Amino acid sequence: MESALRTTVSIATLTCALGALVLVTPAYAGKPVGSDRGAETEQTGGADETGIHSAVRIEYTGSVTPNGGSGNVTSADPNWMPSPCRYAPYLGAEDFKKEMSTKNKDAASAPGMTGTPGAAIGQTKAHYEDGFGWEDRPGYEDYDVAKDGEGMFWAGVENLNEPDILKRSSCTELPFWVDNGEAPPPRYERAITPEMLAALSYQHMELAGTEVTLAPAETTKVDLPTWAWLDKTDFHEVRATASINVPGFALTATTTAKPVSLKLEPGTPDAETYLASGECTFDDDGSIGDPYTKGKADQTPPCGIRYLRSSEDGTFENAQAVTIQEIKAVNR
């Protein structure tokens, strides 16, 4: 599948090829995150009015924004966007029992917890302690502590870069158990997948700024060609990686971007681009276009723009942006 990814509309846009490679490491049996059996990294979950959330963090490395912030690449393809929330490994059985039993006790003793709210808390307690189940959701005996180390409870986790809070908090299913090496039940359609992780890796991708040289640099005149070029650019292939690595479940997704052309977008129909397509490709030496030098005023630039009428204030901005052509390749 191919789709266009872009940041902002601008006069100069660097076009790249994007690929996603997902590696799934073999699942292995081991102790759950946060248990007292020698966990390398203890992680804790969170809670709000929608319930408890996955404690397992996604680690981002490579060309990504600091602190997991949203990158400068966004998708124009609605079918290749990160899910607003997902289900992911949360805690092992013993730690989940400590977490959930405390929450149930606190909720039951809160003011006003009678009638329907009180009944819901009672059902939740019975679900994890007494084997109470419904439909296709079997219950658990004593929080499945007898299987501690053989799997993990999974819970909902929000994609904090999703602006719609209702979508972000829509993974409201009660936490459920998944054995090490097993896939979550099919009914949990938002359980983390390689494709989701690949989408998250490019959502956090940060493409370094590449300055396109323009002549004239800031203000141009009607019918005066504006030359655009990139010297032997230092904009090389960049990679962003997202990974989850917990006992019984490990995924890694790497997204790569490589520059292939420079696309000029005048921002008005009253302009001509050179080439006519507005897309300037790299030369063999790694440059794009030709630098403007004295004596070329009457020449047509191999890469540039000619405005046919003035803008409102007679100037235009040299905004820099990035367009990505996406090519997905997922290896399981």
Side-chain angles (χ1 to χ4, degrees), residues 223-225 227 292-300:
D223 289 328
L224 176 67
W227 293 56
Y292 175 80
T293 57
K294 187 176 181 179
K296 291 185 176 180
D298 295 330
Q299 298 181 22
T300 299

Side-chain angles (χ1 to χ4, degrees), residues 130-290:
D130 305 323
F132 173 75
W134 54 90
E135 297 178 352
D136 55 354
R137 291 161 176 77
Y140 304 93
E141 295 287 344
D142 193 26
Y143 297 90
D144 262 8
V145 293
K147 298 177 66 176
D148 193 42
E150 300 176 11
M152 297 185 72
F153 278 97
W154 287 42
V157 58
E158 297 179 358
N159 178 0
L160 298 180
N161 294 110
E162 167 58 54
D164 189 327
I165 188 172
L166 294 179
K167 292 181 180 179
R168 197 170 67 229
S169 58
S170 60
C171 291
T172 57
E173 291 274 6
L174 287 173
F176 54 93
W177 178 264
V178 178
D179 287 329
N180 286 340
E182 297 294 328
R187 64 177 175 270
Y188 299 104
E189 297 179 355
R190 292 185 180 178
I192 190 72
T193 64
E195 290 81 4
M196 286 185 187
L197 204 59
L200 287 166
S201 70
Y202 83 68
Q203 183 186 57
H204 295 280
M205 175 175 273
E206 185 75 19
L207 296 169
T210 301
E211 292 295 327
V212 177
T213 305
L214 300 173
E218 296 180 358
T219 303
T220 190
K221 294 181 174 60
V222 173
D223 289 328
L224 176 67
T226 296
W227 293 56
W229 71 93
L230 274 171
D231 289 329
K232 296 179 180 179
T233 178
D234 290 329
F235 191 94
H236 302 296
E237 178 179 286
V238 296
R239 294 188 176 191
T241 296
S243 60
I244 295 178
N245 192 351
V246 296
F249 187 84
L251 286 178
T252 297
T254 297
T255 301
T256 62
K258 183 178 181 180
V260 295
S261 66
L262 173 70
K263 186 173 183 180
L264 303 177
E265 298 178 342
T268 173
D270 297 314
E272 294 178 349
T273 57
Y274 313 103
L275 303 166
S277 65
E279 190 163 354
C280 308
T281 58
F282 281 84
D283 295 328
D284 292 339
D285 64 355
S287 65
I288 292 181
D290 287 339

